[in-house]
Amino acid sequence: MTSYLQQFDPVTQALLATLFTWGVTAAGAGLVFLTRTVNAKLMDSMLGFAAGVMIAASFWSLLAPGIDMAEQMGQIPWLTAVIGFMGGGLFMRLTDRLLPHLHPGFATDQSEGIKTSWQRSTLLVLAITLHNIPEGLAVGVAFGAVSAGLSSATIGGAIALAIGIGLQNFPEGAAVSMPLRREGMGTGKSFFLGQASGMVEPVAGVLGALFVIQMRGVLPYALCFAAGAMIFVVVEELIPESQRVPAHIDLVTIATMAGFSVMMILDVALG
C-alpha cells in the first residue's frame, strides 16, 4: 500500500485515504441491510473502541509528531502544542454550538446547535458529520505533512492514521443508519443517510493537505489542532454515548483500551 500511494502527490494521497475512510463509514451503514437493530451492548462496545482509536491517533499520529516538528522548525514545542491543541477543541466547541445536530437515542427536542425545523434524520446525519470533520482533516494534514520532508512525518504513519480512522468509522455509520431503520425509515434511505455522514471526510482531507502544503510553517499547529478537535469529539460525545448504560461500562472501557492498543500498534508498526 505504501509503494502504491507514493506514486501520487500528497493531495491525491489524502483524497484516496479519505475515500477509504468514507467507504468504511458506508460499510457500517450497510449493516442496515442485514438486520433492523444491533445489540446495544455491541454498539456501545464499538463506540468505545472508536473512542480508543481516536485517543491513540490523537497522540501517536498527530500531537507527538506536531511537537517534534515544532522543535525541528525552531518553534517553542510546548507553546505550539497548546495553541494548536486548544484551538482544535475551541473550534469544535464553536461548531458544536452552531451546527444543528441530534445524537442517536435522544428526542428531537434535545437537538443541539441553532434551533431549526429540520427533520430528525437530517439532524442525526449532522451529528456524525460533526465527528467526521476533524477525522478527515487529520488524515489530510498527516499526508500533507509528509511533503515537508521532516523525519517525524512518514507515509507509513499517515497510512496508519487512515486505517485507524477507517476502523472507528464503521460504528459511526451504523450509529446513523440503524436508529433511522428502527424508526420506520426504508432500508435504502437509512443506508444512504448513514453513509452520507462520511462524505465530508474527503473534502476535509483534501483541504487539510492543501493548507499545510501551501503554509508549511503552520504544519505543527495543524497537527496539534487536529488532535485537539478529535479529543473534543471523544470526550464530549463518543465516551458519554458509549457509557449511557451503567451495566455496559466495564465492557466499554475494555473496548476503549482495545481500540487504543490497535491504533498504537498500527502507528508504531507502520510509522
Side-chain angles (χ1 to χ4, degrees):
M1 182 184 295
T2 300
S3 59
Y4 173 74
L5 285 176
Q6 284 178 327
Q7 65 182 304
F8 300 106
D9 63 89
V11 176
T12 304
Q13 292 172 351
L15 175 61
L16 292 173
T18 47
L19 285 173
F20 161 74
T21 61
W22 177 17
V24 181
T25 303
L31 285 178
V32 77
F33 291 111
L34 303 177
T35 178
R36 193 182 183 94
T37 184
V38 174
N39 179 272
K41 185 179 293 186
L42 175 60
M43 178 59 73
D44 289 346
S45 298
M46 289 196 297
L47 289 173
F49 182 89
V53 168
M54 289 183 70
I55 294 170
S58 297
F59 177 75
W60 294 100
S61 299
L62 299 169
L63 194 59
I67 292 172
D68 289 342
M69 288 180 193
E71 189 170 10
Q72 293 175 44
M73 297 171 70
Q75 300 173 3
I76 302 174
W78 64 265
L79 183 60
T80 297
V82 168
I83 292 174
F85 187 80
M86 292 303 299
L90 291 172
F91 170 78
M92 289 306 299
R93 171 58 184 143
L94 180 62
T95 305
D96 187 65
R97 186 178 180 87
L98 296 178
L99 181 68
H101 61 284
L102 176 67
H103 299 294
F106 287 84
T108 304
D109 60 4
Q110 293 178 293
S111 63
E112 300 179 28
I114 296 174
K115 298 303 178 184
T116 73
S117 58
W118 293 352
Q119 292 184 348
R120 177 180 175 85
S121 58
T122 302
L123 294 172
L124 284 168
V125 172
L126 287 175
I128 305 300
T129 301
L130 188 62
H131 292 187
N132 290 335
I133 292 173
E135 295 165 12
L137 178 65
V139 174
V141 169
F143 278 98
V146 178
S147 66
L150 299 173
S151 59
S152 51
T154 66
I155 186 71
I159 291 173
L161 177 60
I163 293 173
I165 294 297
L167 288 174
Q168 65 89 42
N169 273 359
F170 187 86
E172 291 188 354
V176 176
S177 64
M178 300 306 293
L180 293 176
R181 185 71 185 97
R182 285 198 303 271
E183 292 174 9
M185 184 176 289
T187 303
K189 188 173 182 180
S190 297
F191 166 75
F192 176 79
L193 291 174
Q195 64 81 34
S197 65
M199 293 175 65
V200 70
E201 290 198 2
V203 177
V206 168
L207 291 177
L210 284 170
F211 181 71
V212 298
I213 289 172
Q214 297 298 321
M215 302 184 68
R216 183 174 179 272
V218 303
L219 180 54
Y221 292 98
L223 286 166
C224 297
F225 179 96
M230 287 176 62
I231 289 295
F232 181 93
V233 169
V234 170
V235 176
E236 200 267 345
E237 297 181 18
L238 282 183
I239 290 179
E241 286 179 18
S242 67
Q243 298 192 352
R244 284 192 306 237
V245 181
H248 298 172
I249 289 179
D250 287 343
L251 179 61
V252 170
T253 301
I254 294 299
T256 303
M257 295 179 68
F260 186 99
S261 299
V262 168
M263 185 64 227
M264 180 172 60
I265 290 170
L266 283 172
D267 198 274
V268 173
L270 296 179

